[in-house]
Amino acid sequence: MKMTRIVTQIVLTAWLVCFGFTLSVSAQQRWLVLPFENISDKPVYNWLGEGIAMMLSDLLSVPGIDVVTTEERRAAYTKLSFSDTAILSRASAIRLGQELQVDRLLVGTYQVAGLPGKEQISMTVLLIDVPAGKLAQNTLEAAAPISELVELQAILAWDLLSSQQSPLTVSRQQLISRVRGVTTKAFELYVNGLLAPDPTKSLRLLRLALKELGQSSPETTFTSVAFALGKLHFEQGQYAEAIPWLAQVKRGELYYPDAQFYLGLCHYYQDMLDRAATIYAELTRLFPTAGVYNNLALIELKRKDFAKAMQYLGIAAAANREAVDASFNIAYAHWLKGELETAIDKLREVIQRRSRDGEAHYLLAKSYAQLGRQSVANEALAQARQFQPKVVQWERSGKLPPLGRPVRVLDRSLLYWPDAPRSKDAAPPTPLTCWLDHMQHVVERLIAQKRDGEALMLLDALLKQTPDWGRGHLLKSQIHEAQRDYVSAINELRAATFWEPHLVMAHVRLGRLYAMVGDNGRALEHVKKALDLDPHNQDALSLQQTLLRPPSDSVRH
């Protein structure tokens, strides 16, 4: 039986009817696909609800579309107190979409009917424009034999993308070719492998999926299975086994940043430090988080580059003030450098936040002992033995293993900071722009607290990583100007306007500073640029009026 696809308009709930229909186009959007609801009387196909969400998320992840991952969705479920297995109501689904700051929310139902071996699957799909509160397109209905389920999903993904993107970044044939040869049986084994709570069973099912595909080596073209296998080996501490699987995930695919994150850690644990550093340096531009900087710092600690390690740890700690492990890593770095008094201060801060941290107590004991303060060293050692059983072994062998604490999961939720909300008309953020938005708030907070020295150190570290961050240069100029270092302030403002010419405030401030040093020509030049960008900017208009005012006649005696 040939596959059939029907696109129809159906009766909608009152909530959607009141908003009407829309067909929109966007160069970059953030999408969320929720598990589909099984409306048939065949519970044996319940796995398809999650499976369709996984496959469509993978297929929809093309240039211009940022798709919420399964892990990120589940974290949001937990935050909103939703059950992992719940089929959400329309209102709850929209609330989830708003929490994850998505542009498009995909929900649907499926039904399986027919005699064994001849089953048909039919799906109904709604694509909701979350910011506008209305449908993004007419309802889609699709049907096919269950044996053609995977290709049906690829065609459905194409229909969705073709209605939302202009120009299209992927062809219909390219999309279908991504799942060519993936049978329904292989897809079922893959999904159940991901859903299996036991790692041994999960590994067995994933390997059976590869066998079904005829791909039993790390050259599989169904890279979703490769990523799942690599991640599973990583979580089991089998780093050498994880590397070839994780390396199969290609740039642009949904889980590429996660695969690189795990791959870098595998190389770190295998002491392949140059490769690990290269991967994490790329992640600081591709998908920066506090965890990425934390791990890059630990790689540099192993390479004995303490200056870089401290720079990256400073960024990690500032970006996520709740991360106690980043604070421990800073203390550990000072201890490795032999800066014992500083290490003691930092370790005390860690213990104040986490009193049962045995490793922190142990490093504190070692620091006190090296400074000849044996009494307090003994007290700290007793605490260490109480909270960390391995201390006895360390003392007996005289060997201390590396104590740096890596972050083992790429926390995508940290990209969408509550202090950097998106306006309704703003373009969806990339991971890098969202990270820089957050770091801007961190620096502004330090400046407001009169901690200019810390703010300047943080800006220097950030601008070494992202020298084209115009707002970072603008913030540096603010600090230099407050310190009356006008030459440095002007240089930073010139950098800000070079990298981000649309920064009106940078042009205004540059005009004002040039006027202060007597260069009215350059001052007027930047005032004009500011007014070209914002003709009603009062600061620019006031400065222009001052600069164009004729000089007063000299007082005659």
Side-chain angles (χ1 to χ4, degrees), residues 321 442-452 454:
R321 292 179 295 172
V442 171
V443 172
E444 288 171 342
R445 189 183 304 120
L446 290 172
I447 293 174
Q449 295 170 350
K450 308 298 183 183
R451 296 158 64 183
D452 288 357
E454 293 176 58

Side-chain angles (χ1 to χ4, degrees), residues 217-230:
S217 65
E219 283 81 32
T220 174
T221 55
F222 190 23
T223 53
S224 297
V225 180
F227 173 71
L229 277 167

Side-chain angles (χ1 to χ4, degrees), residues 310-556:
M310 294 303 293
Q311 173 186 314
Y312 299 142
L313 284 172
I315 294 174
N320 186 3
R321 292 179 295 172
E322 303 302 317
V324 182
D325 285 344
S327 298
F328 173 86
N329 288 335
I330 291 173
Y332 179 51
H334 283 295
W335 183 81
L336 288 174
K337 291 175 67 178
E339 298 171 351
L340 300 180
E341 292 290 359
T342 304
I344 288 171
D345 290 340
K346 299 295 183 182
L347 289 165
R348 282 174 171 168
E349 292 175 9
V350 171
I351 290 169
Q352 187 174 13
R353 297 171 67 186
R354 187 186 287 161
S355 61
R356 301 173 66 86
D357 194 321
E359 293 171 357
H361 283 290
Y362 186 66
L363 289 182
L364 195 58
K366 299 282 282 186
S367 300
Y368 282 137
Q370 287 177 263
L371 291 173
R373 300 161 66 179
Q374 201 57 50
S375 176
V376 284
N378 290 339
E379 292 177 11
L381 184 59
Q383 293 287 311
R385 286 171 175 162
Q386 179 182 353
F387 301 131
Q388 175 51 272
K390 292 182 180 179
V391 164
V392 175
Q393 178 185 339
W394 297 343
E395 288 288 286
R396 187 182 299 119
S397 67
K399 295 180 180 179
L400 185 64
L403 296 182
R405 296 174 179 174
V407 174
R408 288 178 59 87
V409 176
L410 180 62
D411 191 348
R412 289 169 175 258
S413 66
L414 291 178
L415 291 172
Y416 302 94
W417 305 95
D419 57 3
R422 288 171 51 193
S423 66
K424 182 178 179 180
D425 299 324
T430 65
L432 179 59
T433 58
C434 198
W435 162 259
L436 293 176
D437 283 345
H438 172 64
M439 296 312 297
Q440 177 180 345
H441 283 273
V442 171
V443 172
E444 288 171 342
R445 189 183 304 120
L446 290 172
I447 293 174
Q449 295 170 350
K450 308 298 183 183
R451 296 158 64 183
D452 288 357
E454 293 176 58
L456 202 54
M457 288 177 62
L458 180 57
L459 283 168
D460 285 339
L462 288 165
L463 288 168
K464 283 182 181 178
Q465 298 300 113
T466 51
D468 55 346
W469 182 30
R471 286 166 296 154
H473 291 288
L474 180 60
L475 288 167
K476 275 192 75 175
S477 75
Q478 181 179 336
I479 297 171
H480 287 310
E481 184 177 351
Q483 296 172 341
R484 299 190 178 184
D485 182 354
Y486 301 126
V487 173
S488 295
I490 287 173
N491 287 337
E492 292 298 336
L493 286 168
R494 290 177 64 185
T497 56
F498 175 81
W499 291 115
E500 295 187 45
H502 62 280
L503 288 175
V504 176
M505 183 53 64
H507 287 293
V508 173
R509 289 176 56 189
L510 196 49
R512 181 165 49 79
L513 285 178
Y514 274 131
M516 285 178 61
V517 298
D519 193 339
N520 284 6
R522 288 186 177 178
L524 280 169
E525 177 185 334
H526 283 280
V527 168
K528 181 180 183 302
K529 289 179 179 179
L531 290 172
D532 286 342
L533 292 165
D534 181 4
H536 304 292
N537 186 280
Q538 291 302 309
D539 291 330
L541 289 169
S542 176
L543 181 56
Q544 182 186 55
Q545 185 178 14
T546 300
L547 290 168
L548 295 177
R549 183 181 301 143
S552 302
D553 291 336
S554 300
V555 178
R556 296 182 179 180

